[in-house]
Amino acid sequence: MPKTRFTQIGRAIPRREDRRLLTGNGRYVDDIEIPGALHACFVRSPHPHARIVRIDAKAALAMPGVAAVLTGADLAQWTTPLRVAPPIEGLHPVEMTTLPVDKVRFHGDPVACVIARDRYLAEDAAERVEVEYAPLPAVANADQALAEGTALVDESLPSNLVSEQRFSTGDVFARRREAHRVVESAFSQHRQTHLPIETRGCAALWDEGREHLTLHIGSQVPHPLRTQLAARMRLSESQVTISSLDVGGGFGQKIALYREELTVAAASRHLRRPVRWREDRMENLLAASHAREELCRTRAAVTDDGRLLGLELEILEDFGAYCFYPANYLARVVAMILTGPYKVSDYAFVVRVVLTNKCGSGPMRAPMSITSWVMEGTMDAIARELKLDPLEVRRRNMVAAAELPYTMPTGEVIADITPRETLEAAVTRVEYAQFRERQAAARREGRYLGLGLCSVVESTTYGSRFYKAAGIPGSGHEAAWVRIEPSGAVNASLGLGASGQGYETAFSQVVGEGLGVDPASVRIHLGNTDVAPYGMGSRGARGGTAGGATLFLCARDANEKMLAIAAKLLGFDSSEGLRMVEGKVVREVLGERIDTGISFAQLARTAYLDPTALPAGMAPGLDFSRTYDPPPMTYSNAAHVCEVELDVETGAVRILRYVVAEDCGTVLSPVVVEGQQHGAVAMGLSGALLEHMLYDEAAQNITGSLADYLVATATDLPRFEILPMHTPSRGNPVGTKGMAEGGVMGAIGAISNAVNDALAPFGVVAERQPLSPDYLRSLLRGKTP
Amino acid sequence: MDTVDFELSVNGERHAVRAEPRKLLTDVLREDCRLTGTHVGCEHGVCGACTVLVDGRPARACLLYAVQMRGHEITTIEAIAKDGVLSPLQQALHEVHGLQCGFCTAGIVMTFEAYLKENPRPTEEEIRDVLSGNLCRCTGYQNIVEAVLKVVHA
Amino acid sequence: MKPAPFRYHSPGTLDEALALLAEHGAGAKVLAGGQSLGPMMNMRLAQPDALVDINAIAGLDYVREHEKTIEIGALTRHHAIATSPLVRAACPLLAEAARQIGHYAIRQRGTIGGSLAHADPAAQFPLACATLGAEITAAGAGRTRTIAASEFFLSLMSTALEPEEIIVSVTLPKAPTSEGQAYVQFSRRRGDFAIVALAATVRPDAGGHIDQVRLGVGGATDRPMVLAELADCTRGEKADSGWAARLAKAAYDAVAPIDTPRVPAEFRRELVHVLTRRVLVTALERARR
């Protein structure tokens, strides 16, 4: 990273996106007017697992205004199946058609698509599509999936075990034998869903004359989506435009090309009419994408003073019925980075992923969300078992600044992180020792307070080398362009997909920094694949690190050329000593800045309109593009502390205090970063306490409304106290380390540890989430302090 | 199904509407009146994204049939900024980063434009209580609460 | 999630509304605030042939004081009830319950008549009205009748109302100054339907003994339950925390709650126990003020 101090990067500038969003002038998919568009509605399976015997659409098609009823057989003619088959050891290849042809695999699986004049009519017609099913035995959970003689969710596989991976380094058995104690813990995370307030949706326009498809859609990854859509419709990537303007939240749900979207695109081409679909909330809950259902067990071999000698991890993930992603991909990251800030060299894991008759899983903000809970819950279990202070156990095992860069047992390297510093800052803020006194006093009054610690090491930005090593096809690089127009106006773009992260603000600061101009003069263009460069989009927490760095480097290229032009105009041999400051070229002589009288706009004019004035051999114009591939992995870190009060009579948990010390390096926009910190912690707490995508024993989804799927409201969440820290990454041109998922990881662990601290006098431990009142009561029932 | 003709008064403007009686106010505002600032989030009255004002009182537009609104005055997010100037609440939301993806924002603005008229000096607890009727998946609510407090203490 | 087609009527008078209901029979639904009916229709769980919108009928939105009672018009909105000085003084339990219904925007539209007719066993008004001994007045074609709240709620979302009847008002007894009232509910989040709710009125005598207690449980079974006999048995006992604890234990023993996939029956029973004690203690404290 450059040694000069930033003047635009890191400034707290209110967001540029806000005005249109505050006044009702945003353009979300559904806000785009498309004259003559037909509306789609999907007929969905009421069964978790059944053969499709017959689909009779006669009654629906007879309704005036109904244009078509499409089935899996239709779509199979017009589109290719999705094959997920990366060459990864232990992972079975899988394939799915656009719509099911012969059997449905979960409650909510789409079996037909009605296309009609409006959505009301489409729903009327959908009720009249008769589908005859022959129900099959359903696989409702991971245990059933692995049971002998169970039904096969995917009949092309030998069993429901779609992926199994093992790893071992050192000798965990030897460490167990020599340990003072072997501490076993379990962590069961429940099924959740992303729940963007804007559900999925798209509008497809097929231009028959130009043979071109435009798909309006809220997408986190416009270009990879285009690649997929073109391939599956047997089109060239030059025949497809993806346009994603404002997006009402994504959280990982708006990455994959879903079957509904492909169906709508194919329908538009088939009918030669614009077709649009807006998912309703019930569909979004039942059938968009789920996440997080996994059971982890750890076995920690420890010394009598709580030092970790060896660690073993087992993960069993319930991935649902369909794989839109390689099934091993989420859980394996958990196993790879589990040890986080703790020193241990003997480590082994087994990661198993099974298919069940439930909605398919995918990455949800912090796909590795359970990691910190598992590691920090293990730390707490060690403390409980050895009757040590949990803070002290952490201190004894945590890597110190002098030991960095530190190589985790899996080979992952952490550098430029500050786990001890964030932990100490957070416990100082909550006055840890005094809390223990307050806790003891409260217990004497029959009130149960708990404090939970959770350190987070967040894998934010995956470089191409990480993907290569993991066997996953794809790249971690990002792309950007910067264009300075003849008037001096600045346009810039990159391949990310915004869904609320304030990119237009933060990246205008990055470009402003790189160019030496006011960010207000920079306009960031996102989401249209004809405009933006081919980038890898927004997932993980790569936006600031990969995107910010690429754009900064690109703006520096522009800056360099402009200063070279300035040098020529000033009659200098080189641009050394020249700088662009606030849109003016200055000369730095012995620490003094001297105005040269040349402006940014003048240079732009010259570059375009007076090419003969340019240095010899320089091409006219100011048009720059750049790609950048970040290091294999970038990590940031944080420490979370949560204080709760548990009402032991009702099982209700109230959060009294929440502190986060987070070190995400250089911050592009402190405004945006703080918002992301709040949002991530909120999502973690909401999931750990309230949200639960529940299926019954027959694999029927019983969570079809927001009265069932409970998301935290303003009265459920505390005020968050953030302690920002900024140790830059030396591996990144701007020094950013990424953030925005770690808050979820920390919250899940901190709240669980806090509740278990409150439960401690009763001798019980909560090993699963959600930490619902009835679950906590079931632990407390019959117990006394 | 038969349509009915009726007049709707939205933001002080009269709109002639021809729609089936079952057409929800959300859809009529967005499609017939072309006011797309009112967002559809759940269509069962929980998320609050579609909150508009009916005769000055907040209401879920997804739980109203447009035909019911004859003779009533509807106010939507498009009418809150006056002559290009944000309302104090909109301005405060901008200044303290009270919105991220912005999809829920209109409903929150409409709820509090009404509530602050009824109770101009609420406590943080009262603000959170009222805000609990609007789901936001991005912000964790804190900066929305800050924005309302900023208006209250202005 | 769009409603199925229906015919829409917006009568200007009660008589017209009753005539429409008589004409359509069980195929018609009365539309008041629409905060429960609307979601059911959007999900197509309800598909009535016709809606009779009573919002344009004048004279159904009021709170009136009589000598021993207050009378509330069926179209009175939850927010108006929660904030009415008259209700808060004469019938504080009802105002306290009203404040906890849904959320601010929901309370602006939802009506007491609609809530009672909908008869959700976890809803606030059915429990409050049953506990307080309210009387519900319903108009039918050519007649008006009064139904005791204790006889009004038959089972899950089922009432003594005939298809062609409309609730026009609710009458509730005014609380004497010596009486304390309280409503408490346990729900996962603010504004959610109660998992269990308790309503109580407590009237101690001058000597500090229990004179009269009314106790109602909501959310535990298919309709609000009034534990009249249990409460009556404690008449004459010293009004203190021991009394509250004993009555709470008796309620725990007496109530056999429903078992649902999300909420096991035993947890609901425990809530009945805890909340009964808490509601009685709160009501007693208020009686002493």
Side-chain angles (χ1 to χ4, degrees), chain A residues 79-238:
Chain A
T79 59
T80 64
L82 171 66
R83 188 167 169 78
V84 179
I88 297 171
E89 199 189 335
L91 175 72
H92 290 283
V94 291
E95 190 173 294
M96 74 175 101
T97 53
T98 302
L99 288 181
V101 176
D102 47 10
K103 79 167 187 177
V104 291
R105 295 192 198 171
F106 73 97
H107 175 198
D109 212 353
V111 285
C113 178
V114 176
I115 316 263
R117 186 187 59 223
D118 62 54
R119 173 78 187 204
Y120 290 78
L121 179 62
E123 290 193 20
D124 297 344
E127 286 188 332
R128 298 202 194 168
V129 175
E130 287 175 34
V131 185
E132 190 186 323
Y133 298 97
L136 296 166
V139 179
N141 55 50
D143 287 343
Q144 284 180 17
L146 293 173
E148 284 286 316
T150 198
L152 277 180
V153 176
D154 183 335
E155 285 161 30
S156 73
L157 299 185
S159 78
N160 292 317
L161 184 64
V162 67
S163 178
E164 179 166 14
Q165 295 181 307
R166 289 170 188 275
F167 169 88
S168 184
T169 187
D171 187 343
V172 291
F173 299 104
R175 298 294 86 75
R176 249 197 259 165
R177 284 193 300 274
E178 69 200 37
H180 168 71
R181 201 75 64 87
V182 175
V183 180
E184 299 195 355
S185 315
F187 308 87
S188 171
Q189 189 165 229
H190 53 297
R191 188 165 272 256
Q192 295 166 53
T193 189
H194 313 64
L195 212 90
I197 305 298
E198 181 196 32
T199 55
R200 296 180 300 162
C202 63
L205 289 87
W206 173 251
D207 182 333
E208 179 68 16
R210 289 181 169 74
E211 297 187 306
H212 192 94
L213 177 74
T214 300
L215 187 74
H216 296 281
I217 185 169
S219 175
Q220 298 173 226
V221 294
H223 287 94
L225 187 78
R226 187 187 68 181
T227 299
Q228 280 251 342
L229 180 60
R232 295 193 60 194
M233 290 184 68
R234 299 189 192 98
L235 293 170
S236 146
E237 280 182 281
S238 61

Side-chain angles (χ1 to χ4, degrees), chain A residues 496-518:
Chain A
L496 303 177
S499 55
Q501 306 93 327
Y503 287 162
E504 291 165 47
T505 307
F507 291 137
S508 72
Q509 291 177 244
V510 170
V511 175
E513 183 74 53
L515 291 177
V517 298
D518 183 352

Side-chain angles (χ1 to χ4, degrees), chain C residues 170-209:
Chain C
V170 186
T171 304
L172 301 118
K174 282 157 81 172
T177 51
S178 63
E179 183 171 287
Q181 301 190 344
Y183 172 89
V184 297
Q185 72 171 49
F186 186 88
S187 52
R188 294 292 299 277
R189 300 175 302 180
R190 188 85 55 91
D192 285 343
F193 275 107
I195 294 173
V196 168
L198 265 295
T201 70
V202 177
R203 215 180 294 171
D205 64 20
H209 293 83

